[in-house]
Amino acid sequence: LYERAIAISEKSRGPEHPDLATHLGNRAGLLKAQGRVEEAASLYKRAIAVGEKALGPEHPNLASILNNFGLLLSSQGRIREAASLHERAIAIIEKSGGRDHPNLASILKNLARLFQDEVHVLPIKRGLTRQPQGRLQEAVPLYERAIAVVEKSFGPEHPDLAATLNDLAAAHTFQRKVQEAMPLYERSIAISEKCFGPENSDLASTLNNFAALLCAQARYVSCGTADSP
């Protein structure tokens, strides 16, 4: 169906019509889901080129395509390229819709996760098992901003908050900031239970992370490295 939409759009409106960028982006998303990443990447590039020529390089319609292409590149470990696309998408939305636009939340979270994935886990002394490296410090304010955007747009118990709170808590955990992480896990669990029920799969992941933090807390305290309450 996407291929048919592309063919019709090209035939009736030409190969540079702005609607074609949307059709190409949708087709690329399907190919990505099917694991056909090279074909998807080619279509994302074409969608961006069409959108830029037809609408201009800062048109809001480009933001979604840039973000989705960034997700594809991040899945291939192409961190720098993916970050550049996410950052460009953020800049476009900020310029067109302001710094509190609700569409920013998911892209901010994607960029934060990208930076968090750059963290290298190294063994360290005195019983601690993790040491954050890379761009983790940049991930934390992005998560915090994503949370603020969702809260302002949709309220403090919106279901999208549960995953972002869990991610932010994990970032604090990597930095051994126990006191910061614990209330975030607790809030994530409360929102997830309220919105999705007490047995949803996302809740299981957060509970596992929280349990790991509680187990690790004893090691941090015994080594005298936990943050002060």
Side-chain angles (χ1 to χ4, degrees), residues 48 100 123 137 222:
I48 292 168
D100 295 324
Q137 293 292 342
S222 68

Side-chain angles (χ1 to χ4, degrees), residues 20 28 34 54 108-109 131 144 170 182:
L20 181 60
Q34 294 174 336
L108 289 165
K109 182 171 66 175
Q131 179 173 350
E144 291 173 340
M182 289 180 66

Side-chain angles (χ1 to χ4, degrees), residues 81-184:
E81 295 170 85
S84 178
L85 291 170
H86 290 314
E87 288 167 347
R88 184 180 167 195
I90 290 168
I92 288 172
I93 295 176
E94 287 179 336
K95 184 172 182 178
S96 62
R99 289 180 56 82
D100 295 324
H101 194 284
N103 289 352
L104 278 171
S106 62
I107 307 176
L108 289 165
K109 182 171 66 175
N110 291 338
L111 182 57
R113 284 178 172 170
L114 195 64
F115 290 161
Q116 190 167 349
D117 286 344
E118 283 193 89
V119 172
H120 304 291
V121 180
L122 303 174
I124 59 178
K125 297 178 180 179
R126 302 180 64 190
L128 302 180
T129 57
R130 294 175 182 265
Q131 179 173 350
Q133 303 290 329
R135 303 179 70 176
L136 188 58
Q137 293 292 342
E138 296 177 67
V140 169
L142 291 169
Y143 283 134
E144 291 173 340
R145 188 176 165 203
I147 290 167
V149 168
V150 174
E151 288 177 332
K152 184 172 183 178
S153 300
F154 306 112
E157 296 183 348
H158 191 273
D160 286 352
L161 284 170
T164 311
L165 289 163
N166 175 66
D167 289 337
L168 177 56
H172 283 312
T173 300
F174 264 112
Q175 299 175 87
R176 301 190 298 281
K177 294 183 177 180
V178 176
Q179 300 304 321
E180 285 89 341
M182 289 180 66
L184 293 169

